[in-house]
Amino acid sequence: TPSTNDRTALLTDWIQKHLHAKLTTFIPNHWHGDCMGGLSYLKKKGVKSYANKMTVDIARKKNLPLPEYGFTDSLTIKLGDMNIHCYYPGGGHSTDNIVVWIPSEKILFGGCMVKDMGATGLGNLSDAVISEWPSTITKVMARYPDAQWVIPGHGAFGGKELLLHTLDLLKNSSINNNGIRSAMQQPASKVAITESEKTLDSQWKGKRVAFLGDSMTDKRRVGTTCIYWEYLAELLGVDPHVYGI
């Protein structure tokens, strides 16, 4: 789901109005807010939710809304004429991340363990299992060789090249078994702004501007080459006040 109940309500309304479909089933990829932040709204709407038992256990410990049904290793759900396969391949972006496979459509939902082709880093590593992540991706590739469409947690969908790209990012990163800290200590360099790009007479100059977000507000610059608030502060002369979510 989106990260809040309000945004989840907007999404479900859009699905109903524009796709003429009713949301009946929800399967979060893992426990983070960008996956199940709108779960309480969906539960009120009577939407059934299925998740890795590890996800349910973590949500319980953190006093988060709980998915209704938990599974261990794998689960197959019937949705109309389609079989929906849920599978836990191991740790990666988080300890509990799963993938969802729709064989009739050859669609693989990889979630946040899979990075889009535009990703230059591994993103949020606060709950990552670095030592398992490469083998987890390899298991997914071996289990679903017929996947034609791969959908990451963020960014544009593609094909199996997204899985290979994620492996390359893991291989080329400075991360090792003790390496979450070292990755954070070797952030991407700042994007340079030329004098000609700056807006000298900006109406925003000196104004206090609040930025809310996740990776775009990350001062450590992990997984991104451009921090948007920093870019605008230099471009327009705003006084940024940054809050991570």
Side-chain angles (χ1 to χ4, degrees):
T1 70
S3 57
T4 67
N5 287 320
D6 288 344
R7 291 177 181 177
T8 302
L10 289 173
L11 176 61
T12 54
D13 287 346
W14 186 90
I15 291 172
Q16 188 171 357
K17 289 176 183 177
H18 297 278
L19 301 182
H20 307 292
K22 182 181 178 182
L23 188 60
T24 62
T25 305
F26 169 59
I27 306 169
N29 168 261
H30 62 296
W31 70 270
H32 288 168
D34 58 354
C35 274
M36 48 183 275
L39 177 57
S40 59
Y41 172 81
L42 295 182
K43 292 180 76 168
K44 287 179 183 177
K45 290 294 183 179
V47 175
K48 292 181 180 179
S49 51
Y50 301 83
N52 185 352
K53 187 177 182 301
M54 294 171 68
T55 302
V56 178
D57 291 342
I58 293 170
R60 183 177 289 111
K61 287 179 184 177
K62 293 183 176 292
N63 294 316
L64 299 172
L66 300 179
E68 288 180 79
Y69 307 102
F71 68 89
T72 302
D73 184 52
S74 62
L75 173 72
T76 299
I77 301 169
K78 196 79 173 176
L79 190 63
D81 296 330
M82 293 190 300
N83 287 320
I84 310 293
H85 299 287
C86 309
Y87 171 58
Y88 173 62
H93 171 74
S94 63
T95 57
D96 59 321
N97 49 205
I98 65 168
V99 296
V100 176
W101 168 242
I102 307 178
S104 61
E105 311 302 315
K106 297 190 181 332
I107 295 175
L108 177 68
F109 291 87
C112 293
M113 78 167 76
V114 178
K115 299 302 168 184
D116 74 291
M117 293 304 293
T120 58
L122 296 169
N124 176 15
L125 299 175
S126 58
D127 300 296
V129 189
I130 302 301
S131 59
E132 293 182 25
W133 201 337
S135 63
T136 295
I137 294 292
T138 302
K139 284 180 193 175
V140 171
M141 293 174 67
R143 192 177 180 99
Y144 306 110
D146 296 331
Q148 290 185 5
W149 306 103
V150 178
I151 302 177
H154 302 272
F157 66 86
K160 285 183 283 188
E161 68 273 8
L162 271 67
L163 299 168
L164 294 170
H165 178 58
T166 303
L167 279 179
D168 285 342
L169 289 174
L170 286 162
K171 221 176 282 183
N172 297 329
S173 72
S174 60
I175 301 170
N176 49 46
N177 287 338
N178 302 311
I180 292 180
R181 180 173 308 210
S182 67
M184 291 179 177
Q185 290 174 341
Q186 297 182 23
S189 58
K190 181 179 177 180
V191 173
I193 299 175
T194 64
E195 288 297 322
S196 61
E197 289 180 295
K198 293 182 181 180
T199 306
L200 299 178
D201 298 320
S202 167
Q203 62 178 322
W204 295 98
K205 189 171 183 179
K207 298 287 180 66
R208 300 174 68 187
V209 178
F211 291 85
L212 305 178
D214 40 37
S215 60
M216 83 170 192
T217 62
D218 190 349
K219 295 181 182 181
R220 298 168 303 176
R221 322 169 87 70
V222 176
T224 181
T225 57
C226 182
I227 300 176
Y228 196 54
W229 63 266
E230 188 178 71
Y231 175 80
L232 287 181
E234 190 168 346
L235 188 71
L236 301 176
V238 299
D239 177 18
H241 292 257
V242 184
Y243 306 89
I245 298 176

